[in-house]
Amino acid sequence: MNRHQDNFTARREARLRYFGGDYEILTPGDFVRCAVTGEPVPLDRLCYWNVELQEAYSSAEVACKRYLELRGAK
């Protein structure tokens, strides 16, 4: 397969600035990395992030785990 075929998907990591219910795309891309697991999270599936830490999370469970870790560290 070469890059000119239809099923070629060039995936780039985006950079975002997170706000309370939205985010701003600083560098265009297809996904961001989960701060806990390192797995890619497609932008169209991104639902969980931490505004204060500017971190993205792959799921509610991962976001909760991170929250509990941070709460225990204080």
Side-chain angles (χ1 to χ4, degrees):
M1 169 172 38
N2 66 45
R3 66 184 176 148
H4 299 291
Q5 291 175 310
D6 291 338
N7 58 356
F8 176 79
T9 55
R11 298 189 63 196
R12 294 187 327 156
E13 188 167 353
R15 280 192 26 207
L16 307 180
R17 177 180 298 138
Y18 302 101
F19 299 104
D22 202 3
Y23 55 80
E24 174 186 7
I25 298 174
L26 302 175
T27 303
D30 305 305
F31 68 95
V32 292
R33 293 232 175 253
C34 175
V36 176
T37 66
E39 66 184 285
V41 181
L43 292 186
D44 63 348
R45 293 189 182 162
L46 178 61
C47 297
Y48 307 99
W49 60 82
N50 182 308
V51 175
E52 186 177 322
L53 299 176
Q54 292 293 295
E55 293 181 338
Y57 307 114
S58 58
S59 69
E61 293 81 10
V62 172
C64 183
K65 176 183 175 184
R66 180 70 168 138
Y67 171 78
L68 294 173
E69 287 174 359
L70 293 171
R71 197 172 125 195
K74 292 183 179 180

